Amino acid sequence: MKRVYEPVQEGSYIKMIDMVKGEGGQLQVNNISGYLPGRIVFFLVNSHLAPRPILLTRHGESLHNVRGRVGGDTVLSEDGELYSKKLANFIEKRLKNEKTATIWTSTLQRTILTATPIVGFPKIQWRALDEINSGVCDGMTYEEIKKIMPEEYESRKKDKLRYRYPRGESYLDVIQRLEPVIIELERQRAPVVVISHQAVLRALYSYFADRPLREVPDMEMPLHTIIEIQMGVTGVEEKRYKLMD
Ligand code: G3H
């Protein structure tokens, strides 16, 4: 069968040779120019197929979650604190055979507090992992938004993906700001635990699970659940662990 192959030698091409191994892999780029091809090369240079897990979880339940309020920067509820301890236990067991791993959080205290009981791994705070910015609606309940700003409520209901909160963000904005996070996750060779927020994790998960854009804003992303994504040559496999009832 090998006899019918012909090596690509001319024109514009990107050759990827054995991208699984750390040092053995090679990327050959020939005659590539322009913004989009350049971005593709940048992405490919940073990605590889070495097997490693990515663990995604929302922060433990926050006081705003209990009150049904969006956004804000509140601390954890009692259940949220319990989850942070269970999560630390889970991570300790799950990653005990790994040489290195990192814990990524947003800059909001509910994710930082969720990561607090985890010891022995470096922690990195990413602004890009902060929850969708709900602008003028920050701190309100959905009922309050419906009553005080009915047009905003209706517009969001009609097109949740594109709707941008006044002085805030849309799901499309969130997806765009996640690009450096995704490149960095593709680049990592060691396990990463991402502790973030509902809207952000909907977008990140959809990328790895190859889900269509239109599904992102309504995807189920329950609290107190870990989604483990196994990256590697066989594609992406996932497991879910529900740590609390
Ligand atoms: O607090 C904000 C929520 O996590 C985002 O949820 O986009 O379904 O309103 P939503």
Side-chain angles (χ1 to χ4, degrees), residues 69-71 131-132 142 156 160 165 171 198-199 202 217:
R69 298 194 175 278
V70 299
E131 182 54 306
I132 187 170
Y142 292 109
R156 188 165 201 252
K160 201 173 165 190
Y165 282 107
Y171 267 86
Q198 179 162 240
R202 281 172 171 158

Side-chain angles (χ1 to χ4, degrees), residues 138-161:
D138 192 67
M140 292 168 83
T141 65
Y142 292 109
E143 275 309 302
E144 285 168 350
I145 300 171
K146 193 175 178 183
K147 207 166 142 204
I148 302 165
M149 294 178 244
E151 300 84 12
E152 294 300 329
Y153 186 86
E154 283 310 313
S155 310
R156 188 165 201 252
K157 214 166 106 185
K158 251 188 236 143
D159 190 355
K160 201 173 165 190
L161 180 69

Side-chain angles (χ1 to χ4, degrees), residues 18-20 48-52 230-237:
D18 191 0
M19 299 302 283
V20 182
H48 60 86
L49 296 170
R52 77 280 185 194
Q230 187 62 41
M231 308 281 286
V233 263
T234 53
V236 170
E237 284 161 29

Side-chain angles (χ1 to χ4, degrees), residues 80-105:
E81 278 179 24
L82 182 60
Y83 177 67
S84 69
K85 289 175 192 136
K86 287 185 182 241
L87 176 67
N89 252 322
F90 177 92
I91 302 287
E92 195 186 313
K93 285 191 197 116
R94 175 65 189 80
L95 302 181
K96 71 171 186 291
N97 296 324
E98 304 287 345
K99 276 188 233 109
T100 57
T102 39
I103 315 294
W104 296 3
T105 68

Side-chain angles (χ1 to χ4, degrees), residues 11-151:
S12 300
Y13 64 80
I14 302 167
K15 270 193 201 177
M16 296 173 77
I17 303 158
D18 191 0
M19 299 302 283
V20 182
K21 288 185 209 127
E23 286 129 38
Q26 250 193 68
L27 192 93
Q28 294 174 6
V29 178
N30 191 59
N31 198 20
I32 296 287
S33 61
Y35 177 76
L36 209 53
R39 299 294 300 163
I40 294 169
V41 171
F42 175 69
F43 174 79
L44 292 174
V45 165
N46 283 291
S47 54
H48 60 86
L49 296 170
R52 77 280 185 194
I54 296 173
L55 295 127
L56 305 176
T57 177
R58 287 175 69 186
H59 53 81
E61 182 187 63
S62 70
L63 294 184
H64 261 20
N65 288 146
V66 176
R67 298 169 191 140
R69 298 194 175 278
V70 299
D73 191 14
T74 55
V75 295
L76 302 181
S77 70
E78 251 177 56
D79 274 2
E81 278 179 24
L82 182 60
Y83 177 67
S84 69
K85 289 175 192 136
K86 287 185 182 241
L87 176 67
N89 252 322
F90 177 92
I91 302 287
E92 195 186 313
K93 285 191 197 116
R94 175 65 189 80
L95 302 181
K96 71 171 186 291
N97 296 324
E98 304 287 345
K99 276 188 233 109
T100 57
T102 39
I103 315 294
W104 296 3
T105 68
S106 73
T107 64
L108 297 168
Q109 57 173 345
R110 53 194 185 276
T111 65
I112 297 166
L113 290 170
T114 304
T116 303
I118 306 170
V119 287
F121 300 107
K123 294 173 191 169
I124 298 169
Q125 292 177 17
W126 284 76
R127 186 86 196 272
L129 286 175
D130 283 3
E131 182 54 306
I132 187 170
N133 180 346
S134 42
V136 297
C137 297
D138 192 67
M140 292 168 83
T141 65
Y142 292 109
E143 275 309 302
E144 285 168 350
I145 300 171
K146 193 175 178 183
K147 207 166 142 204
I148 302 165
M149 294 178 244
E151 300 84 12

